[in-house]
Amino acid sequence: MTRSTATPTPDDPRTATRAHLRSVMVAWIFGAAWMALVTGAPFIRFSEEMGLRDESRSWVWGILSAIPFIGTLFQMLGSYWIERSGRRKALFVVGNLIQRFTWMGVAAVPWLMVPGTWAAVLSVMGLVLLHATSGAMAAPAWTSWMADIIPPRLRGRYFGLRSQLGLSIIIPVSLAAGWLLQASRTGVLAVPVPDSLTQWHLTRFAFGLSTLHVCMIFFTLAAPLGMIDILCFLRVPDVPSRGEDEPPPSLREIFGPPLRNREFRRFLLFYGVLILGTPGAGNYFWLYVLNDVAVGEAWAQAIFMVTPAIGAILMAALWGRLLDRYGRKTLWRMTVLLPCFIPMTWIFVRPSSWPVALILTFVGGICWNGIDQATFNGLLHFTGTQSRSSSYQAVFALVASVAGCLSGLLFAGIAKLTGPWTLVIAGHTFHHARFHLVVAGVAFNRYHVIFMAAGLLRLTSYLFMLPGVRDDSREPVRVAMRYVFTNVYNTIYTRLSFPLRIFGAAIRKASYSPDGDAEDDADSPAPPRTPDSNG
């Protein structure tokens, strides 16, 4: 029986599915640009300008890390609304449009508040909370909606390709943002100008914008880009999450199945402990590189935004294929281990050895892309194949929210205890200077304590929680590793040998003469057939 190769008609469901997948893919081009402009060095420098440069307020960075996870608690409300109404698309569009528009408000804070005051700091924190809350309410709609739109057999490869596309946008936008931020701090904009194909020189121009004004411009541009990302989904139809004749479920019917699912509970335990050692330390990595290592904004963007994106681009498609072929747990076992030790190795990143950070974040980008793909695939598995309910996403978000909040509070506490503080008890004053320890001539500060704590928490999730996760993984890790190494080797070999193949083809073509002047060698190729040749 032969396979049909007929061209799909406009009414063919496959044609509609392809159009919807393209819309989701194109939307992320704008979403990635939005994300690159509001995260990383722009937000860190903006927060410092608004009042967090003060050493005594260093603990606020941990709270800022926890705010997105506080907002995530509202995913439960979003899931409940979806299950009661079935209107996923409306919640997704409205919630995310509000989320993206909040950056207009963030950009306006310096005009309305005096930078450096607690009022300005609290205003920024409040807007970040609104950003996190509105986006979190829309998240369950996105997960269950995509579970219906994207066929299960394509999910790994599709999101791998989508990840590559987004990262290819994030890289140039992040570099440009870091370049302009550094110019705002030095007052000089260095522009590379080519003299020839192999020689360049830097032309320097005076740059009059302050760091605060540059960040405000970034946020103002980011808001409409993010809104365009969401508006692209207007073309994607919403498949009702329940039938019109079905009565709305009760609260117990919505959240009972996820909590009774033992496989899902083990998945939550693993991911919750992994998150406990991750987001709370994020801002302190940025502060360490910008202030202690002092590499400048452009290189900081390269370290945290560009090199991880390059690593993720190189491996995203391969992780997607491996996920479809070997399952989620196999991918987790391959990608979680290195991020457990990467924070600990940051103690070797010093002003004289800062390029080590490029290697660490490159490897981290490779690993975290695999972790994120496996995690999202797991959510689609529970949401799409078991119940088509957004409640799994909401319960997952609740656990991630609690873990993220605890992570932020934990690392804020570590920063406070290892930083300068004063305590008065019964009239007695106790002073504590900033943590400083010298071992074998190597100095350690409070950032290194934070990095070690983050690595140990992640290692706990890998050693004690991941083995309990059950999955449809079909092969041992060594088979998957062989698959990865084979694909990487074949890719590298193909790329390196391509010029040689082109050169060889040119030599063979030059050695062939239609008039018979070339040697009648047995290994020479036969003359090409013309379209009207009878052979």
Side-chain angles (χ1 to χ4, degrees):
M1 184 175 181
T2 60
R3 182 178 173 181
S4 175
T5 59
T7 303
T9 63
D11 297 332
D12 194 318
R14 292 177 296 174
T15 302
T17 299
R18 292 191 187 101
H20 303 154
L21 294 181
R22 282 194 298 269
S23 296
V24 175
M25 188 76 71
V26 170
W28 186 230
I29 295 175
F30 300 97
W34 161 78
M35 179 178 292
L37 288 173
V38 301
T39 57
F43 184 71
I44 296 293
R45 288 307 191 195
F46 179 81
S47 300
E48 287 183 337
E49 295 292 329
M50 296 307 294
L52 293 187
R53 194 183 304 277
D54 189 347
E55 184 75 13
S56 63
R57 297 177 180 176
S58 61
W59 57 273
V60 179
W61 291 106
I63 305 300
L64 273 175
S65 300
I67 284 179
F69 294 92
I70 297 173
T72 306
L73 292 170
F74 285 82
Q75 287 200 19
M76 299 287 287
L77 181 60
S79 176
Y80 181 72
W81 191 87
I82 292 169
E83 297 302 326
R84 297 284 294 182
S85 68
R87 300 178 63 189
R88 298 179 297 190
K89 184 175 181 177
L91 179 61
F92 172 82
V93 172
V94 174
N96 279 303
L97 286 178
I98 294 174
Q99 180 202 41
R100 308 304 167 89
F101 189 75
T102 55
W103 289 99
M104 286 286 192
V106 174
V109 169
W111 296 101
L112 305 175
M113 303 287 178
V114 179
T117 62
W118 272 111
V121 173
L122 293 176
S123 297
V124 172
M125 295 175 70
L127 287 168
V128 172
L129 179 60
L130 176 61
H131 165 269
T133 301
S134 56
M137 288 190 65
W142 155 263
T143 306
S144 62
W145 191 12
M146 292 303 101
D148 289 338
I149 293 295
I150 303 172
R153 69 182 186 280
L154 300 177
R155 287 173 184 167
R157 284 169 288 175
Y158 178 78
F159 281 105
L161 179 60
R162 183 175 181 269
S163 176
Q164 285 183 311
L165 178 63
L167 292 169
S168 65
I169 301 297
I170 289 175
I171 289 175
V173 175
S174 298
L175 285 175
W179 174 54
L180 293 175
L181 278 174
Q182 189 158 332
S184 70
R185 295 179 67 84
T186 61
V188 176
L189 182 66
V191 180
V193 177
D195 294 325
S196 63
L197 292 177
T198 58
Q199 293 183 346
W200 295 66
H201 74 275
L202 291 177
T203 301
R204 291 173 169 81
F205 301 94
F207 194 83
L209 292 176
S210 68
T211 300
L212 184 59
H213 287 106
V214 170
C215 294
M216 292 167 63
I217 292 172
F218 287 162
F219 299 158
T220 304
L221 293 175
L225 287 173
M227 296 173 75
I228 292 173
D229 167 27
I230 304 306
L231 294 176
C232 288
F233 284 85
L234 294 178
R235 300 178 58 186
V236 182
D238 183 14
V239 181
S241 58
R242 61 179 179 86
E244 295 183 358
D245 298 332
E246 298 180 19
S250 64
L251 197 62
R252 175 179 294 183
E253 292 172 335
I254 293 174
F255 299 111
L259 298 176
R260 290 192 297 267
N261 190 324
R262 186 177 181 183
E263 178 185 343
F264 186 64
R265 292 200 306 269
R266 291 179 172 180
F267 165 57
L268 292 178
L269 181 61
F270 155 69
Y271 190 75
V273 177
L274 181 64
I275 287 296
L276 192 62
T278 303
N283 285 334
Y284 295 106
F285 283 96
W286 276 95
L287 293 172
Y288 179 68
V289 167
L290 286 171
N291 300 328
D292 283 37
V293 182
V295 299
E297 286 76 11
W299 277 112
Q301 287 287 89
I303 290 172
F304 290 113
M305 302 293 288
V306 177
T307 54
I310 293 174
I313 286 175
L314 293 177
M315 294 296 290
L318 180 57
W319 289 147
R321 294 195 301 269
L322 187 143
L323 187 59
D324 291 334
R325 185 167 183 167
Y326 296 106
R328 296 179 296 277
K329 187 172 181 178
T330 297
L331 184 54
W332 277 321
R333 291 171 67 185
M334 293 173 59
T335 55
V336 175
L337 183 59
L338 283 178
C340 298
F341 294 99
I342 287 176
M344 304 179 189
T345 55
W346 270 83
I347 63 176
F348 301 108
V349 178
R350 308 288 172 146
S352 60
S353 59
W354 67 265
V356 173
L358 294 169
I359 301 173
L360 295 179
T361 54
F362 176 78
V363 176
I366 291 174
C367 294
W368 279 108
N369 183 265
I371 295 171
D372 292 341
Q373 286 198 49
T375 302
F376 188 70
N377 187 275
L379 276 178
L380 291 179
H381 165 72
F382 289 110
T383 300
T385 61
Q386 295 200 16
S387 63
R388 298 181 68 247
S389 170
S390 64
S391 58
Y392 280 90
Q393 163 70 21
V395 174
F396 170 83
L398 175 63
V399 172
S401 174
V402 172
C405 292
L406 292 176
S407 176
L409 295 175
L410 172 64
F411 289 103
I414 294 175
K416 184 66 176 178
L417 291 174
T418 55
W421 50 266
T422 301
L423 181 65
V424 180
I425 301 177
H428 298 281
T429 303
F430 302 89
H431 297 281
H432 181 270
R434 185 174 181 179
F435 176 84
H436 185 76
L437 178 67
V438 179
V439 178
V442 180
F444 297 90
N445 59 29
R446 61 176 175 176
Y447 292 117
H448 301 129
V449 177
I450 291 173
F451 301 159
M452 294 295 293
L456 291 175
L457 285 170
R458 296 178 190 180
L459 188 61
T460 300
S461 71
Y462 182 83
L463 294 178
F464 301 106
M465 281 68 187
L466 182 57
V469 176
R470 292 185 179 179
D471 185 40
D472 57 349
S473 298
R474 294 167 286 277
E475 296 287 350
V477 174
R478 65 177 183 274
V479 177
M481 290 294 293
R482 189 182 304 121
Y483 174 80
V484 170
F485 287 134
T486 300
N487 276 268
V488 171
Y489 172 80
N490 289 338
T491 301
I492 294 175
Y493 177 80
T494 302
R495 299 294 185 271
L496 293 179
S497 62
F498 181 74
L500 296 178
R501 294 202 306 271
I502 294 297
F503 180 73
I507 293 297
R508 289 194 299 271
K509 184 177 181 180
S511 64
Y512 169 71
S513 172
D515 298 329
D517 295 335
E519 292 185 8
D520 187 14
D521 190 88
D523 294 331
S524 60
R529 295 176 58 182
T530 58
D532 57 348
S533 172
N534 294 322

